[in-house]
Amino acid sequence: PALDRAPWAHVIGRHSVFPAGGYLGLAIEAALRWLDRPAGVVLRGLRVEQMLRLAEDGAYRLEATARPGDPGEGGDPARAAILARSAGGTGAAWTTHARATAEPLAAGPAASVLAAPADTQAVAMDGASFYRRVAALGYDYAAPFRGITWLRRAGDSIGADLSAAGTPEPDGYAAAPWRLDHCLQTVLAARLEALEADGAHLLLPTGVERLVWHGPLPAAPRVVCRVRAHHDGVEAELRI
């Protein structure tokens, strides 16, 4: 898609950037097209190599391409290699932002279930309060990306109610970038108090080890997120 700055931009710190959910949306769509629209796809090893900064007066061309990847072992279907890149205008050089591999979703046992925090044990917060608190830390989301309506947190787990009401689905995406970004924001919500106490660092997504795409998101999905902090950052597991 061709992009102008709105409604895609996040302001993270002092920089307006294309959201991580956008790279996921591009990779899912590229995988679905390359693999001839299977029932589901699996993305593996997605790495954000360089964020795309969006200038106030700039326009960008952003694309995801797919090519044959290395055959899977043991007779698994060949993987597609996905590349997301941008160019600032006609004739401008391309910059690579993210890479991943993709394969069709194979039949198998259902994924394990992450239990949402019980209401009696959880600390609750509405979406407006969440976005006000993260804005104070330096995260300013454009309107379509403000999709968290309610949060419940207990320990290292968080449950979230999401909504995309009133936001049209963008052309060319099986998964709207802002709806995927709503899910990623639950990691930020799970670490909110730690970030407020720190006051000096921002939490940004650098990769996704494995994403299983079963099909379109429901109108009002619920997400469960469990996080684990370590010296290099934070790891998270999400179920939608």
Side-chain angles (χ1 to χ4, degrees), residues 80-160:
I82 309 294
L83 183 72
R85 61 182 190 166
S86 74
T90 304
W94 289 93
T95 299
T96 298
H97 297 286
R99 301 173 188 268
T101 63
E103 62 197 61
L105 176 61
S112 59
V113 175
L114 284 181
D119 289 343
T120 56
Q121 301 172 339
V123 176
M125 178 170 51
D126 63 74
S129 297
F130 167 71
Y131 288 109
R132 184 171 60 252
R133 289 172 67 176
V134 296
L137 294 172
Y139 300 87
D140 186 10
Y141 293 100
F145 293 89
R146 294 172 175 255
I148 292 178
T149 60
W150 197 254
L151 293 162
R152 296 166 301 280
R153 181 170 181 263
D156 60 359
S157 296
I158 196 158

Side-chain angles (χ1 to χ4, degrees), residues 112 114 186-187 223-228 235-239:
S112 59
L114 284 181
T186 61
V187 182
V223 176
V224 179
C225 171
R226 180 176 296 161
V227 297
R228 182 173 66 87
E235 294 180 356
E237 185 177 7
L238 286 82
R239 294 284 191 275

Side-chain angles (χ1 to χ4, degrees), residues 34-35 68-72 75-80 102-104:
W34 178 262
L35 299 169
D70 295 330
D76 291 338
R79 295 182 177 182
E103 62 197 61

Side-chain angles (χ1 to χ4, degrees), residues 195-214:
L195 290 168
E196 289 175 329
D198 176 277
H201 297 90
L202 296 172
L203 186 64
L204 298 174
T206 59
V208 175
E209 288 299 325
R210 182 173 179 265
L211 183 150
V212 180
W213 176 252
H214 294 275

Side-chain angles (χ1 to χ4, degrees), residues 38-115:
V41 296
V42 180
L43 298 182
R44 298 183 188 273
L46 186 141
R47 293 290 178 268
V48 179
E49 298 182 353
Q50 181 174 334
M51 299 299 286
L52 170 59
R53 296 186 181 182
L54 302 177
E56 292 280 354
D57 57 353
Y60 304 84
R61 181 74 186 176
L62 187 63
E63 69 173 24
T65 59
R67 61 174 177 78
D70 295 330
E73 297 180 358
D76 291 338
R79 295 182 177 182
I82 309 294
L83 183 72
R85 61 182 190 166
S86 74
T90 304
W94 289 93
T95 299
T96 298
H97 297 286
R99 301 173 188 268
T101 63
E103 62 197 61
L105 176 61
S112 59
V113 175
L114 284 181

